[in-house]
Amino acid sequence: HDKKRQYWLEGCGIDFIRFEAFAIFNQMDSVLKDLRNYVDANLIPGITLTQLERGVYNRNKCLFKDLLL
């Protein structure tokens, strides 16, 4: 059920980042660094998006990539 829900949500433009429980409880600095790297890599400089806009963007990144560079 979890994979079906994730697949559906990803279809709505929601990205997932999964971490093992061990990392959450024992390597939090590494988890936070990975999350920061993900956010930085997906940041659109100078633009703030609503959740809906972010979902549309995530589903269509290939269309927007050249426009935002």
Side-chain angles (χ1 to χ4, degrees), residues 25-39:
F25 292 111
N26 298 294
Q27 300 169 332
M28 184 56 73
D29 289 342
S30 177
V31 169
L32 293 174
K33 182 178 177 185
D34 289 348
L35 288 171
R36 172 50 57 197
N37 288 339
Y38 174 83
V39 169

Side-chain angles (χ1 to χ4, degrees), residues 2 8 10 12 15 18 26 35 39 41 44 48 50 52 58 63:
D2 192 44
W8 183 83
E10 286 174 334
C12 294
D15 291 342
R18 291 195 179 262
N26 298 294
L35 288 171
V39 169
I44 305 170
T48 302
T50 66
L52 177 61
N58 285 345
L63 300 175

Side-chain angles (χ1 to χ4, degrees), residues 38-60:
Y38 174 83
V39 169
D40 289 345
N42 289 281
L43 187 65
I44 305 170
I47 298 175
T48 302
L49 301 176
T50 66
Q51 287 179 324
L52 177 61
E53 291 167 333
R54 173 58 73 174
V56 170
Y57 170 77
N58 285 345
R59 288 188 69 190
N60 300 284

